[in-house]
Structure formats: C-alpha cells, structure tokens
Amino acid sequence: MAVYFDHRLETDQAGISTDLKWFSGSPLLAVTSYSDDNGGAVTFYTEEGEKLPNTHLQKNCHVTSVSWHPNKKIVAVGWETGELLIWNEQERSLHEAIQMHKSAISVLHWSSNGTRIASGDKSGILIVWKVDTKGRLNPNPLCQHHIQEPLTHILARPAPPPDPASDIASLARAAVSGDESALDMFNWKRGKNNSKTTNSFGQSESLSFFVGGASGGVYYVNENGQCIQCFTVDSSVRKMLYYDDKNILITITDNMMLTQHAVLLEGDTKEMIKVKLSGRNEEPHIIWAGKGLLATATGEVAIRMWDLEQDDNYVLSLDAHSSYDSNESIMCVAYCAEKGMLAGGTNMGNVALWKFHPTNNRKIEGEDKWKLQAPATVEGPVRQIQWGSNKTLMAINTIANVFVLSEQVMSCSYQDQTAVVQYGPSSLSIEVFATGNHHDLKTDIQVKGVCTTKDVLAVWNGKRVIIYEYSADKLVLKAAGSFTTEAQLVCLYEQNVYTIEGNKVQVRTFQGTIKQHMTFSEVEGNPCCINICGNFLAVATEHGTLRVYDLSRREAKAHSNPKNISESVHDFGTILSARCNCSGNRVSVMVKLQHNTFDSKLYVWDVETDSVQYFNFQTGRGEQDDYPPPDGAEEENESDTNDAERGKNQAAKDIAGRRPTSHYWDPLEPKLLVCEAMAVEQEKSREIKRKPSLTKAVDDGPVELMVVSLFCTQENGILIQDSFSLPPQVTALMGVEVPYHYFIKRPENTSSEAANQQEDNVVKSETGTAIYPKLVFRKVLRDFVGLENSDKGTRDAMMNFSYYLTIGNMDEAFKAIKLIKSESVWENMAKMCVKSRRLDVAYVCLGNMGHARGAKALREAHREAELDARVATLAIQLGLFEDAERLLKNCKRYDLLNEFYQSGGQWGKALETAEMYDRIHLRTTYYNYARHLEENGNTSGAIPNFEKSETHRFEVPRMLYEDPESLEQYIQRSKDKSLRKWWAQFMESNAEMDVALQFYEEAQDFFSLVRVYCFCGQIDKAAEVCNETGDKAACYYLARQYENQDQIKEAIHFFTRSQAFGSAIRLCKEHGQEEQLLNLALLGRPEDMMEAARYYEQHPRYNDKAVMLYHKAGNFSKALDLAFKTKQFGALQLISGDLDERADPELLQQCADFFLENGQYDKAVDLLAIGKKYIDALKICMERHVEITEDLADKLTPEKVEGENDTMDRLKILEGIADVCMHQGQYHIATKKFTQAGNKMKAMKALLKSGDTEKIVFFAGVSRQREIYVMAANYLQSLDWRKDPEIMKSIIGFYTKGRALDLLAGFYDACAQVEIDEYQNYDKALGALGEAYKCLSKAKVADETQQEEKLAHLKHKMTLIKKFVQARRVYEENSEEAMKQCQVLLEETDLDSGVRVGDVLGFMIEHFARRERWKAAYSSLEELRSRLKGGNPAYYVNTKTIEAIHRALDVPLSRTIDPDKMNGFRSPEDEEGDFIEEDVADDSYGHNV
C-alpha cells in the first residue's frame, strides 16, 4: 500500500499555471504561468518542490510552448511574440534564437538525440534548427517552410530499432568469448589497409517530424528538411500519436475523428481506419496507456479505452471505490508505463489511480485488468497531470496551484501484539491487541518509517526521529524524545534506538545520545538492512555481509562471525532485506540480482553451521528437493507415491512461479518463517503447468499474492507448512505471532462489514467488549483454528504436531498431541488434512472425533482414482463445502460435483454442471430435481423437469393421479401420444368409450381404436379406419372379427393388408379360392409359398403353378422333379438358370442331359461346370464347338484349396481348357490357363499366336525363363524392328537375358547389313559387327567348327568394311591415297560379302566428278554398270552427277540409266539416313571398330 505526499509549489498566486513539463533525466519540473501584472514566466522546481534560484524566465507575453532536451538540462521556450529562448541549466546560460517567427510559436519538438529542434507558429511557418552541444541554435536554419495553415501539433517519427548485431551488451559478451567479428565491431582489430573500422552502436537518431495544422493538413518533414503533405483530415488536428510496433500514425481531430495511416519508408502514408470517437469535444485528453491502448478523458465520469491490438473498447469508471463522488468527472489522464499506472484527474481534486494487472492464463474483460486504487487528493479541480522521470513523482496542475506528489510506501510495524500502520503522510493507526486499545496518532513530520515494540514507538522521516512511549495500561501515548539524524532505517530494543548512518550502526538513547556504534569496512559495504527479533540484531550490508549481535547484555556483542552471502548467490546484486529468528541462529535474506532482477529464492543462513540454504519460489521447493525432473519427465507419477508425497508435490505446484516480497520470523518459534510471495510473469518455455489446488481453481490462473509458511531446520532443510492466497480485504503481510498472521487492511475496507468484523475482533480485557481493528487484519494459522485462546503448552504441542506432520514423522506427530482431548482440536486437524491432502492422518482424526459417518464415507471414497476426489469427500464430511467444490472442479469429477450440488440443494449449479460437463447424468439430474420439487409440493415446477428427464409419461400421471382434473388438463395440453394413449386406456377402463375413442384417435393408436369399435359393434367404422391407415395390427384384428362372422372375402382382404398371408392362404385353401391363393402365396414367405405349392400339387391341373411356387420358394429339386414329371420344359429352362453349386449333383446332371438332348450345348456345359463335371464339359466344348468365354473358363477351373499344391487333375483340366481355347483361337484365355497350370512355354506360344506385342514383352519379362526370352526375341525380330527402337532394345535385352549369344550375334549381323543396305552407314555397321563378334565369341555352341567359321567370316567382313571406312576418312586429307585404297579394295574377290561394290565405285565416281576427271568418272560408271548386271547405277551415284558426266562427254544419258528406272535414285538430303534410327543404332551397337 502506498500514499502520495503532496508539496504545494511556490507559484505566482496572482496568476495561473498554464503548463507542466518534467525533464526526462533527473527530476526537474518546468512550470509555465501567466499573470496580468507580471506576464508569462517559466519557473523550475526540484522533486522536493523547491524553486531553483536565478532560473526565472519572464516576458510580458504568454508562454505558448515548452520542450525539454531529451538528454540534457536544456529547455526551449516559445513565446507569443514568436521569440524562441534556450535555457541551459547545466551551464546556467540563456540563448536567444534569431527571431524568424512573427506570430506565437505553437509547436516545439527536439529530435531524439537533441541535435535538432523544430519550431512552428500560428502563421504556418515551420523551421528546423541545428543545435550544438550547449543548446545554441545555428543562425542558419536547416530548412524553413511556409505551410498555409496554423500549426497545432508536432510529433517526431521514432527512429528505426537498432540492429541486433550492433547491440553493445551482446557484442561485449561475444568479444569476451573470442568472437573475432565482435572484436572488429569494437575496433579492437584493424580493417584492410590498416585502417580502423567504424561502427555505430545503439539506436540511430530520429530526425523526421510529422506536423498537423488547424485546417486538417498533416505534413512530413524528413531528415533532409524536405516537407511533403501526407493527407488531410476533416478538421483541426488536435493530437497525433505514433504506434511504433506497426508503423502507424494516429491522428485525432477537434471533432473527435480518429484516423489510422500506415507510414511507409519515405514518409508516405496509406489510410487504414477512420472512426468517430465517443465523448465530448471540448478539451479531450488522449494518450497511450500501454501497447496499442488509447486512453481518452473527455470530462465524463469514466475514461474510455480503445485497444487497437485486440480491436476492443471499454470504460474505466470510478464506481469501484467508495472514495469518489457519483458526479465526479475525469478531466485529464497520464500514464506511467514502468509502473503500469494510469492517473486521472477529476473536477473535485482527486487523482484516480488504476493499476494494470496483466493476466496471461485466462481470458478476462479489458476493464477487469485495471484495479482502481485509493485516490490522492489536492485542492481544486485537476486540469493537468504529468508523471516525473523517477516514476514516483507526479506533477498536478489545478490552474491556481501546482502540486508535486511523491509516492511513499505505507510504513507499518508489528511486534509483541502491537501493530502500527500509516494511513496518511503524518497519520498512524496503532492497535494494541494485548489490551484491545486503539490509537490514532498525528505526527509533526511526514512519516517515512515506523518501528514499534510493546512499550515504545519510533517514527522518522529521514531527517528526524521521534520516540513515543506507551503507558503501562496502553491507554496513553506520549513523546519520549526526538533527535536529528539522516537515518533511513531505525530499530528499537528496550531503551535503545538502533540507526543506520553511513557505514555505521549507531546505538542511541531516546534523546539521540550515542551509546555504541558498530562500524563496517569498505569491503563489507554500508549497512542496508537492520532487524531485531527476540534478543538478537541482524545487520546486512549492500555487498552481502551479514552480522548477528546479541543484545541481551549491556552492549551489543557479536553473536557469530560475519557471513558474506554473495559467495553463495550467483549473480549477486544487493540485499533487499534480512531478518533473524528469535534464537539468533538463522537469518533469512531476500536478494536482488545483477541486471536489476529479483531473485526467486529466499536464502537462510544457519549461523551455527555457517551454511546457506534456500527455498526456491520459482519451483516451490526447498534446496533439498530443488532438482530438475529427469529428461522427458514433465510430471511425477502420482501412482508411485503416497498421500504425503502427493500432498507435498501439489503444495510445491501451488506456490511455483513466484518470488518473495517480504518475510517474517515468529517471535517465539525459531523454526517458523512466513513469507509473502507474488506471481511473476513466466516465459512460455518455462510456464508452470498447474494442477488442482485449494488456493484457486485451475481455470482462474495463479493468484497474484500468496502467504507461505515454512519450517526451517538444519536436519530437514526448508519445508512448506502451509500456503494460502492473500485475503481480498488486505494488501500485505506485516508479521506473524502464533496463533495469528497480521495483515494491513485495504483502505476501502477500513469500515468493515459486520461479517468480517465478527471474524476479526479483540475483546478488551477491562470491559469485555469487542474492539474491531481499523487497519489491521488478523487471520488464525491453519493449525490453530479453535486454539486461539489456548495455553502455551497446547500451542507448543500443536506446533510440534504440525512440524512432525510436515516432515512426515507420524509417530512423533501423534505423540506430540496425545494429551489433547478436545474434539474441536481433532476436528481442526482433520480440516488441516484437507489442505495438506493427508488422508492417512484424517482417518486418525475422524476416529478421535468419533465421526463414524465421515470415516465410513472416506473408506468408501478410497476406490476413487483421483486423490482430490477422495479429499473432497473428507471436506464434505467436515463441512468444508467451498474446498470440496473447488477440489471436484479441479480434478474434473463433474459427476461427483453434480451429486454434491444436489445434496446441498444447489439445483441451479447442479443443472448447469450436468448441462456443460456431465451430460451422461443430465436426465438423472432433471429427474432428481423434479422429485425434489414434488416433495416440496411444487408440482407445476416438477412437471417440466420430469419432461426433460423423459420420465413424464409415467411420473406425471403418478404424481397427478389423485387430481384427475389437473391430470386431464395436462394431458389435453400435452401432445405426447403415449400419455394420450394411457388416458384413453384409463377412460376405457371406466367405460367412457366415447372419450376413449377420441384419445385413441388423437394418440393414433389404431389397433385400440378398431378394437373398441368392434366391441361397440361399429365394425364398419373399424373397417374404415383400417382402410385409411393400413395399420397391420388393426387389420389383423378386424380380419379375425370378419372370420368369426364368416365374412371370408373381407377376412381375406384384411389378412392381406395386415400381411398375415399365412392366415389368408389358410382361408383360401379352406374355401377353394385357388386363383387368389397364387397371388397371396407370391406375396408371402417361402413357407407360405411351399404350403400353397403342396396344395396346387394335389390338383394336377395346377401343376404349373406348383412348379413356379416351388421355384420361388427356393426348393429347386422339388420344382425340377415336378417339372420333369409333368414335362414342363419351359419351366425347366427357367429353373436351371438359378441353379448353383449348392444344387444336387444328380439334379444338375439330369438337367445337363436334358439340354444335350435338346441341342442347348452351352447351357449343358454351364450346368456341368456347376456340377464340377469339368472333363465332360470340355469334351462338349471341343466336339460341339461351344465358345469358351472368360466366365465359362472360370467356371470350368477347379477351385484351388488354400495351402495345398495343385493336384494333377486340376493341372490337367487347366491345360485342357487352354487346348480348347487354342483350338478356338482364344489365345489370351489359353495363355491365362496355361499360366495357371504352370506351363509357361505353352502360355508363351499361345501369346505369340495372339500377336499382342505389349503382352508378349510383359509376359517374357515376368516369366524369367531363358526359352521364353528367346521365343519373345525371335517373335520381335519378325516385326518391323528397324523403325521402332523400343523393339530393338527388347530384342537385344531378351537375347541377353536368355543367354542366346549366337542368336544375338546373328541379330547384330542383320543390324549391320541394314545399316549398309538402307543407310550406307558403314561406321555403325562396323560397330554392330563388332558387337556380333563379341557375342559369337562368348557363345557356347555345340559345333565349334561351325562357330570358328562364322567368326572368321565376321572378321573378314569387318576387315573389308574397315578398309572402306579408312578410305573415306583419309579422303579429306589425301584423296589420291583414298582412291588407291578403293582400287585395291575392288580387287578383292569376295568384296560383296562385306562392302557393296556400288558404294565403292560410287565414292570414286563422285571424286572424279568433283575433279572434273570426266573420262575416269565415266569409266568407273561403266564398270559399275557392268558389275550391277542390269541394276540401276542411280542407286549408288547421285543422278545430277551422272547427268554432269554425260553432259561433259556428250554421251546420251540413256546409255547408263534406263528411263523407266529413274525413280530409283536418292536425293543428297537422304544420304545421312534417319536421325532417330542413327541414335538407336548408336545405343544398340556401341562404338568398337
């Protein structure tokens, strides 16, 4: 709890204060004012409200704008006359800028580092000045713009965020670890050419501004001084804000129109949103109140909040606190981001404060995140609020006065049943619990600290200490002395005052006389904490040194050697507080770490062993248990632990995620330490997974403040004794003394409700009247409920019991309390077991209480799997209904929670729980609620709940049976057919037939309706109902009635409508209605058909109908037998079509013979196949040419028994099917059957006959048999493989896989010949022959002599081709040599075996023609013609060449070429052959020559 001390500033009382501005560094406040006598002025004040001497700036005109330098004590002041003054407080110098403004300066703003300042006036002149380090303006402005409208607001565009790579702290750590790039960034390394690299650290300066005008224009001035207009709004710009995270400029106009513009890199903007804000338009105050959160005060009773991040809006009102008037209006707002505090000034002099409490674990409304605090009060309506730079200061402007409010934490002290709480700057509330006395003390100083004992009270303000003494009866408080000292901490012991002054702890009298001093060295540091408990004094220094002194003697003596706790704390910063216990053997310490972070551990120094233990509030465990879980283990396996361990683990989880804020030792119990701990915001990776807790439901998230009681011993470490959330009516823990905790009440709860007063009162010893403390709240320790007024022995016994229970020593625990006979004590301990989850202890407590019902319930609950469910049973038996409810919610046992609500009569909650979480018991819950209402006489309320439970059909008539009129009305209103039927039956039983008929009809119970009509003799109406509705039961009943009356026709009709065909058939047989009998039999069941068929069989003229009915009924044997007997061949064919393998084989054979005799061979084969007479069927197919289809082939195939090999019979049948198929040309089916028979060779032969190349290739690939590979390759050679490269590849592949290398060699030889004959490509032909030679040489042939001959022939052939190829290659270099080689080649006797003569001579003829050796060419041409023996030379020589030779020698062309054979020549374009086929040849033959 905090209060604000107010200082009224010494301002000009004759004038008014117009503006306030805090300097961002050390607290320094600039106040602008105006009076008619003195004009305008700027005055500067310190944080204490003292005016700075010789710093008064004054002129005979208004001050129109003020702006502080961002880093230095330099302030710019703009005046109504256009003058601009710069005051340097550091240098105490005044600089005046060149007057370039001719009208009032309306806007002033520094750049982010203060190197520039922008000023603008009401005539639209905007100037950007450069500023030196002393604040002097450059006489030549950087830029000057004349904007055609008065300027109303200016805003600096924030600088871009710094590069993370240039972060100074990160670079320093990286440099220390040896990162060379980081060293380069620090210029510790030289760059290239031995020149230093320069790097800038931190954020760059913002040199750009946005400016708003009175006509609605918004302008952007960039760092170069260029000005552009961004956009225009509909009225004067009142305020501009920049949303840095999203680069959004927010503009608010005088008529409360808000626009959002996205700001691009060069200052361009794009409109995003335009909305109208609610509220008055006179003097709105609009500020940022957090990330993306706008707060607006418009003189109304609330602050309007708009969350841009969540697109949500809400209001913060003053209704939540009683200190505000209902007519109070909020005039202005200010927000402190560091404190999360929003301040609103009201028209009645109050400063309303809202504290922001972010919650990440649950979704709550925006207004619920803000908690309204007690107000600070000043004189006059508040018009302006400004937070100071140190965040504990606020400047308040009421126009007439200016106040500086400094925040001061409320001081408090508790010792020896005496509590002192500060509730005002100079006001103290004193509670003496020993006698029940209360005092209100008004001091002469503004209190900054208090300390009390049972006899003495000390009050100080940092400059003076005042001592007060209590009278012996505690009725009077009188001053006992005072003295001057700058001590900030004071402690009392008997008649001594202990103060911290510099590096000493002084021991003074009440008048200030120094009796003793304890000095600390520079290494130890100055004392920062002091505490007295019992007879011992603990002192802690800022460097971490702890000392304990014994005060029981005349002078303070050292109780032990000093301890430097910083050696035991990683990243130690300083000590926040230190306290010792009443035995002086333990000192608890709260620590602040480096980097200004709070340590989540509370350290305890054991003086006797000189060791340091700790309790980690982050994990909720003491040092002895504070170890990380095994890898991958997130939760303890509760099934492997007992109740004690589970309770201990759960207590740790309840506390986890916190840090200590205060700690107190019990003044009489040396091992009891009580702490207050607050929740800290967790990183997502370290969030504590919370489970059920008695402190708060899981869904509510962690409580903000908790009180944790600890036992500290050397043997067992630090253990949790108890924990609970801070009561809502208090603000902080102030002390502990068994059996009470002592808390400071909230100011709004000082006038407590009667209920709270009854819980916390002190009985005055003299009068016996109850006294209710004003600012102090007492809460009984969990273990001492019912023992508040017990003697010391009982308290000690209970404390020992609690300690032994905590450490798990049950024998010692029960031994400690064996003498306690009070039933209330045992009941309290049983209730304690609910919190600690110690059900083993609860059994003992219930036994000592004699609580048989509770013991039984606890035993029965043992079968529940969840520990919390069992604990909830105990809580219910002990009357702890809130705890039971919370436990059942947290363990999600909504079925038990539902039962709990029902047992407690909380039917609304029970129904809600069943509806949302326990739907399996929803109907049961409605039923139980209805029975509850019925028992209470609320039948009208019970009826809808019976309906929801769907039991109303029985329960409502039962409930209303004694009230027939209500029952009839209910049934009349109800549309339920079952109820109407019940009522009809009830009326029928009372012989009210007309009413019964009415309700039977409404219930659509047609059977009952027909039954009653028949009973009443109205059989015609019954028939009408049956004909209209077709109800089977009704029709059957009516048919029986007609049968009894011998109306056979009508009886048959209604039997038929009721689908009782057996009864209808019976009547037809009895009365000879054969024609109708057939139709009925066909509609009926197979049994009905059989019965009718037997009837027809007895009458020869109806044999055809008998056969048909036997067939329809599925009795094929009987139908066929009768058909054969009566020679109904048509029916025989029809029946045979439905026969399957289940039919009698003899019957199938009989039918097959019948079809054979009648020439229907296909049907005969089909039946034989069904009868498994496969051989006979195949003979018929072969002899009678019955075509075998796929279906027939499958029928003729015997089934293969799973797990067994094929029998010879089955294989024989399969081959027989295949042979027949081959005979019929069904090659694919034959292939399939040969394959099934395992004869792949025959299958391949069948497939070859089909000519299906694709399937042949596929079958050969999957068969993997050499013979099949060869067969496939031989087949493929019969195709046009020359034009299909895929076929060529398949041939080569199959021959290779089939290891038929001799055949492959022959194929390569054929390929070579094709290359020569078709394309004259001797190079590829040579390659193919090379491959053929390789294959043939590797082949294993029986006749080796023949193989050698073939190899010799191939070799000779290759030799001839090589010579010709060599001649063609040599031609380009030496044509004559090539011709000689060709001449030699022509002399070979068997040249044609390898090289065609025409190709050699053609090559020579072309050469001679090119050389114009026409005679030689003609001679070669003649030789060619003679060797061809009638062939066409044009096939080997280009026709144009032949024509040129004849033309040159003047020889007729007809001598060489026959005109009839002119179409046999090749064009030059065709000489190279087909490109695709060349590629194929390359891939196929290789390149070996």
Side-chain angles (χ1 to χ4, degrees), residues 54-307:
N54 304 319
T55 57
H56 191 66
L57 306 182
Q58 188 169 353
K59 285 184 176 293
N60 293 324
C61 59
H62 284 279
V63 179
T64 53
S65 57
V66 176
S67 181
W68 281 99
H69 190 284
N71 305 318
K72 300 177 181 179
K73 293 182 181 179
I74 300 174
V75 65
V77 182
W79 301 84
E80 189 179 19
T81 57
E83 295 174 90
L84 178 59
L85 301 182
I86 308 294
W87 169 255
N88 188 332
E89 172 60 26
Q90 200 74 34
E91 302 283 337
R92 302 196 62 77
S93 59
L94 181 65
H95 307 287
E96 185 171 356
I98 297 175
Q99 188 168 354
M100 302 182 70
H101 293 286
K102 304 304 179 184
S103 59
I105 296 177
S106 55
V107 293
L108 270 178
H109 208 296
W110 295 83
S111 62
S112 59
N113 289 351
T115 60
R116 296 182 187 179
I117 187 172
S119 59
D121 59 31
K122 292 188 176 180
S123 64
I125 301 296
L126 177 67
I127 303 174
V128 180
W129 311 78
K130 288 187 177 181
V131 186
D132 64 12
T133 56
K134 294 186 177 181
R136 294 173 296 196
L137 306 188
N138 191 313
N140 297 317
L142 177 68
C143 64
Q144 179 177 348
H145 300 282
H146 188 267
I147 298 171
Q148 302 299 320
E149 56 182 309
L151 303 182
T152 58
H153 192 76
I154 189 169
L155 174 70
R157 181 182 182 181
D163 185 0
S166 301
D167 178 53
I168 189 73
S170 301
L171 285 172
R173 288 192 292 270
V176 171
S177 64
D179 189 339
E180 291 194 8
S181 62
L183 292 172
D184 288 338
M185 295 286 283
F186 273 115
N187 295 329
W188 292 348
K189 293 277 186 181
R190 294 276 179 178
K192 291 183 178 180
N193 302 324
N194 201 34
S195 61
K196 283 190 175 182
T197 60
T198 58
N199 292 290
S200 60
F201 297 109
Q203 192 169 9
S204 58
E205 184 176 11
S206 169
L207 300 173
S208 305
F209 301 90
F210 287 99
V211 184
S215 300
V218 175
Y219 305 86
Y220 177 71
V221 181
N222 64 18
E223 60 271 13
N224 299 322
Q226 299 171 339
C227 180
I228 60 171
Q229 183 170 357
C230 301
F231 56 90
T232 303
V233 291
D234 54 357
S235 62
S236 176
V237 176
R238 172 170 289 276
K239 185 82 170 181
M240 289 190 294
L241 299 168
Y242 199 87
Y243 192 1
D244 200 8
D245 288 353
K246 294 189 175 181
N247 280 331
I248 293 176
L249 178 66
I250 297 173
T251 309
I252 301 101
T253 64
D254 280 348
N255 61 2
M256 299 296 286
M257 188 65 71
L258 182 146
T259 58
Q260 294 185 36
H261 288 80
V263 181
L264 307 180
L265 190 62
E266 299 298 328
D268 297 328
T269 58
K270 180 180 179 181
E271 184 174 320
M272 298 172 60
I273 296 176
K274 186 175 184 179
V275 294
K276 174 75 168 150
L277 297 179
S278 303
R280 302 173 185 172
N281 299 350
E282 289 82 9
E283 291 291 332
H285 282 245
I286 304 171
I287 61 167
W288 286 122
K291 183 179 178 181
L293 185 62
L294 287 178
T296 306
T298 57
E300 298 176 303
V301 295
I303 297 176
R304 299 181 182 272
M305 310 293 287
W306 186 17
D307 191 339

Side-chain angles (χ1 to χ4, degrees), residues 328-393:
E328 207 159 353
S329 301
I330 301 174
M331 312 301 296
C332 55
V333 287
Y335 179 69
C336 178
E338 289 78 4
K339 294 166 65 67
M341 191 76 76
L342 179 65
T346 73
N347 59 342
M348 295 186 179
N350 284 324
V351 179
L353 299 168
W354 285 269
K355 177 71 174 176
F356 184 65
H357 294 274
T359 54
N360 297 327
N361 294 335
R362 61 189 181 124
K363 294 182 179 180
I364 61 174
E365 297 296 330
E367 57 267 25
D368 295 333
K369 298 179 182 178
W370 296 89
K371 305 300 180 185
L372 183 60
Q373 314 291 309
T377 305
V378 296
E379 295 180 9
V382 179
R383 297 296 179 182
Q384 186 182 8
I385 302 176
Q386 284 280 319
W387 284 96
S389 56
N390 67 1
K391 316 310 174 191
T392 61
L393 299 176

Side-chain angles (χ1 to χ4, degrees), residues 927 931 934 946 951-960:
Y927 177 77
R931 291 302 300 265
E934 181 187 353
F946 277 132
T951 59
H952 59 287
R953 298 176 183 87
F954 172 78
E955 295 294 341
V956 173
R958 176 194 57 76
M959 181 175 64
L960 300 178

